[in-house]
């Protein structure tokens, strides 16, 4: 059975030595001193390790089942959910007026990493509730907030997001779910939604479905879409539960992974719903939550890879096989541990440098969300730009690294007992949901690069430039800064290629969008590694007693620059080859 | 449910227009004229499509189970096995004196592609038998061949290979299975073997296990290992089945994929076995089959990707979602098909250019095997060099492409019903078994590059050079030849780096071994694409009536050069960064 230990020390390093959050001048951050976050993380680590991780493999094996119209979650989930609810873990960053603890989104993210690493499927129930909470908080009337939020904050009731239908996922304009206005101001919702995570389960007394549907008079395509609150059980004026709404589960899907998460077909048969936000502005309402939801998925990408990496590392240290080519290292044993072999080391370093880089990037992204919540338009624009990069790059790489972790285990990794297959199967979904990664690339290149006249991408390049400049003349940093400069220039060159060619032929830009997303992901991680290396260097200069920890950060930064960043040159060459070879064959010629 | 149609036309193109097999001057090839191979392939296609493909998804869902000590295969497998046996499909390239049809190994490979694409798990039973047959054919006494081969050729009895034990896979020197010599010349075999494909099942009356074990007096490590024939049921002198041997199934493994293939823990409790080949030369006996077995796995890599690609393509043409950025293409429908979108097209072209290139490379490899069987030492050396490249590169890419095919299906690809998850899960094992891909890279860089003084790698570069030179002055080929030249030079440069640095520090070579394997894979595929483009160009010049087919080959070749070959530059940069950053952290510093 795989094991998991929350990397609290690494988290603290990013929070306090890289992002220096307690002095970051963001409202709500001044309380985030090292001892406070250490205390929160130590407790979160216990929950993750002692409660969630032990249910991960069992949840995968047992999965969810539909019994008499109700979804049953795997054994132990219900009690664990109750324990987390009681511990207040569901409401860390929720508004105090609705029972939340009012911590920054950053703290939600940091804790979430540990929870997702320990049990991604379990964490979906709370994650979806968090998304639905945010939507009601931003778009709800005061009455709606008072009615729905307190129980959602406590996770007594959970939430869902209903977008996809059998014939449309990305292209929601084709949606056919209807909202029929009633005399009392409510609507009757009719239609079928699919892929609804936490669509039904046995861990909450009510489920608050947020449903996109078409109300009359909104026009064609996405313009006609509105967002509705459709509870599983109707709620009386006094807050007590009333009659069952006309919502039912058609099916629980059999998926490649995240078996513990109930993915449901939901049937709305004239179910009673109430408009959330403005009529016919449902897409806009959905999109305001999108950054957060996508960042949550970006986090899943590296969090699952972290868990997989820990188990690959343990196996590489433990499993004896072959001898080091440079001479026997374990002369008392029948063979040396796998970790002596250069290709195993390469594999592990790729995992380690990705996971630690992605953690820093994700936490930085969370600080931008917190700034944006406080009305910082620049931060809002920047995180809008970075969101598709984090989502697409981190989930692609997270899956790739989970597969590499599985590879360290050889044949044993293919056997389900090892748990290594589950990491790969679970990580796979993050590349798909909340917008498949090809859609992320389209969002980045087709929309975000040009947003506000390209202001945000220019701001990003300025940040990279400033970081490089800050280390001018620091010989110890030159070896790290130069590769970042090169990669950043290559990224700019790719952007220029799009600008020059994309106007006359949009395909010239879009055929390179996936490469651009990955290239930008690498530049972001390299930026994080420069920052982490500098922080480590500072600690070493200050005479820290823990030299090994900081020296490892610098060595890992060097690895990333030498071994991962060269991908940028490849992506640039692919981008600059244009759309011609990509689009040469008509559909009939395939 | 996914569908499959054998790509007979593409296979014929490679056989007759690229490899020109019927005039290739290889003994046994003169019969392989286009009408003969067309007839074989048409029949093989029917078997693959009508018998094997329909069992693929069901076999995955049902899997194998152990009941009262006997493994039960999924419903339908037994009957299908019987049908293939009767059709003579199990014995295409087996020796006529033992009931085979005496066709070249090439024809076995071509037919095998269709069978593996249709149902990889099912095909394992016959594949393992083929391997065991080859071992007995090469190393057995006449009496052993007469006793075992006829029933193995007909697949009345199947075969297995028993190498791995719980504590050793790659490092077989640690093996603890013992062979105790008996007065009658037989041995008593005792020990446990794991990951034994087709270790037991209900489709044959006997199973011939080939088991590696240590007999007394052989010395330490792999030197003491011998190979034994250990049947499930003892065979009387008259060929009838006798008593049950002391071999039993301990467990059927629950794996990530290939659920229809029974992967068994085998317990040998003083089972009776007979030495196969020379005493204490068991590793050598095993290795003589390794090229074929590994090429078989290399074939699985792209064959599963082919099946996945077909279903991704069908979905991309069928699923309506969004509109082409260059203007509506399906004005009668509510949206355009996915295939109009440049990033979907990029994805599909990556799959197509890989699968078709790998097919050509694999068939070429099979012709080298046939030449080697006829005593051609140069061909034997070349296929020895190429085997780790084909195995490592094609299985890595095959999995990657199956994952990309799944991605085209969006959320539907994550649902098991679609069958797209199965392709990815099945393809995953090919990166692991028959030597994990890291071991292939080690074999390539640590052993094969230097074999016979580097003669074979020099011969490989000569082949590339000659191919490039052959198109000198042909303007239509320049755009394809130049990238191949560049990539080949980069590969040579990487080899030079290893030579210069690997002597004083072997890690400097081994830390780059995985990159080298991939780089060489790309050069091989680019070589194939130059050959295919030339063949297509020739057909066009000759005024073929099927212009679309040949133009698509040339367009796909251009795509490969523009969009895939740039990976070589990245791999070179990674290799030339050396071992320092890879090995910087000691095991304790992770």
């Amino acid at each position: 059975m795989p094991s998991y230990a929350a990397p609290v020390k690494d988290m603290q390093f990013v929070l306090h030595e890289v992002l220096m959050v307690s002095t970051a001048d963001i409202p709500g951050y001044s309380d985030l001193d090292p001892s406070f976050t250490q205390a929160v993380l130590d407790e979160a680590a216990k929950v993750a390790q002692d409660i969630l991780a032990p249910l991960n493999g069992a949840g995968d094996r047992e999965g969810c089942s539909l019994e008499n119209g109700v979804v049953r979650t795997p054994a132990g989930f219900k009690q664990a959910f109750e324990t987390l609810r009681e511990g207040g873990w569901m409401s860390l960053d929720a508004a105090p007026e609705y029972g939340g603890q009012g911590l920054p989104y950053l703290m939600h993210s940091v804790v979430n990493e540990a929870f997702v690493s320990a049990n991604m499927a379990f964490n979906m129930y709370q994650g979806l509730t968090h998304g639905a909470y945010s939507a009601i908080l931003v778009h709800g009337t005061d009455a709606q907030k008072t009615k729905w939020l307190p129980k959602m904050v406590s996770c007594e009731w959970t939430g869902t997001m209903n977008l996809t239908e059998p014939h449309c996922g990305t292209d929601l304009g084709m949606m056919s779910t209807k909202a029929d206005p009633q005399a009392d101001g409510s609507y009757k919702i009719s239609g079928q939604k699919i892929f609804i995570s936490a669509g039904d389960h046995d861990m909450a007394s009510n489920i608050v479905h947020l449903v996109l549907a078409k109300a009359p008079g909104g026009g064609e395509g996405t313009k006609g879409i509105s967002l509705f609150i459709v509870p599983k059980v109707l709620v009386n004026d006094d807050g007590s539960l009333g009659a069952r709404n006309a919502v039912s589960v058609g099916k629980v899907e059999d998926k490649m992974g995240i078996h513990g998460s109930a993915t449901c077909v939901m049937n709305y048969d004239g179910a009673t719903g109430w408009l959330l936000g403005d009529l016919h502005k449902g897409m806009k309402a959905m999109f305001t939550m999108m950054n957060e939801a996508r960042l949550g998925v970006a986090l899943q990408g590296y969090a699952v890879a972290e868990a997989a990496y820990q188990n690959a590392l343990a196996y590489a240290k433990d499993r004896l096989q072959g001898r080091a080519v440079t001479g026997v290292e374990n002369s008392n044993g029948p063979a040396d541990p796998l970790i002596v072999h250069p290709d195993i080391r390469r594999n592990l370093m790729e995992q380690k440098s990705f996971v630690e880089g992605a953690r820093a990037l994700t936490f930085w992204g969370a600080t931008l969300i917190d700034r944006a919540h406080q009305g910082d338009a620049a931060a809002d624009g920047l995180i809008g730009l970075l969101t598709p990069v984090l989502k697409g790059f981190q989930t692609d790489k997270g899956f790739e690294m989970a597969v590499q972790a599985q590879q360290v285990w050889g044949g044993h990794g293919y056997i389900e007992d090892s748990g290594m297959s589950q990491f790969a199967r679970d990580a796979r979904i993050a590349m798909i949901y909340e917008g498949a990664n090809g859609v992320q690339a389209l969002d980045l290149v087709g929309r975000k690069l040009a947003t506000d006249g390209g202001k945000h991408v220019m701001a990003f390049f300025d940040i990279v430039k400033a970081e490089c400049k800050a280390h001018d003349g620091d010989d110890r940093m030159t070896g790290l800064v130069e590769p970042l400069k090169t990669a950043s220039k290559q990224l700019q060159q790719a952007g220029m290629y799009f600008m020059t060619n994309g106007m006359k032929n949009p395909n010239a830009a879009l055929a390179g969008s996936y490469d651009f997303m990955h290239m930008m992901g690498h530049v972001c991680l390299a930026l994080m590694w420069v920052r982490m290396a500098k922080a480590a260097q500072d600690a070493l200069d200050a005479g820290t007693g823990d030299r090994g920890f900081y020296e490892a950060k610098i060595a890992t930064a060097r690895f990333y620059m030498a071994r991962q960043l060269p991908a940028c040159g490849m992506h640039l060459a692919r981008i600059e080859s244009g759309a011609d070879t990509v689009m040469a064959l008509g559909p009939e010629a395939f």
Side-chain angles (χ1 to χ4, degrees), chain A residues 32-88:
Chain A
L32 304 185
D33 59 53
S35 64
F36 174 76
T37 60
Q38 179 81 41
V40 173
L41 288 178
D42 283 344
E43 286 306 309
K46 278 187 210 156
V47 171
Q49 294 160 197
D50 301 342
I51 299 174
L52 301 185
L55 294 175
N56 195 38
D60 180 61
R61 282 186 294 276
E62 186 181 342
C64 298
S65 53
L66 184 60
E67 292 177 10
N68 303 320
V70 179
V71 173
R72 213 175 63 163
T73 55
F77 269 42
K78 194 171 177 175
Q79 196 187 330
F81 202 75
E82 187 60 38
T83 306
L84 265 73
R85 192 151 47 196
E86 282 167 9

Side-chain angles (χ1 to χ4, degrees), chain A residues 172 210 228 245 255 299 362 372 420 422 458 525 534 556:
Chain A
L172 291 171
L210 299 193
F228 298 90
N245 205 352
K255 308 185 299 298
L299 182 147
T362 303
M420 300 308 288
Q422 187 190 349
M458 286 187 279
L525 253 61
K534 180 62 168 70
T556 308

Side-chain angles (χ1 to χ4, degrees), chain A residues 87-120:
Chain A
W89 293 108
M90 310 296 205
S91 59
L92 283 186
D93 66 330
E97 60 264 49
Y98 303 113
Q101 299 177 51
L103 286 171
Y105 176 74
L106 173 68
M107 289 309 292
H108 167 75
S109 295
V110 177
V111 167
N112 211 29
E113 181 199 309
F115 289 1
V116 172
S117 290
N119 196 328
M120 176 174 163

Side-chain angles (χ1 to χ4, degrees), chain A residues 150-166:
Chain A
K151 301 237 167 174
M152 292 175 73
V153 165
S154 68
C155 270
E156 203 170 323
W157 301 346
T158 62
T160 71
M161 312 288 233
N162 291 241
L163 289 77
T164 306
E165 299 184 5

Side-chain angles (χ1 to χ4, degrees), chain A residues 23 26-27 90 154 329 487 545 568:
Chain A
T23 58
I26 303 173
M90 310 296 205
S154 68
E329 296 206 2
C568 291

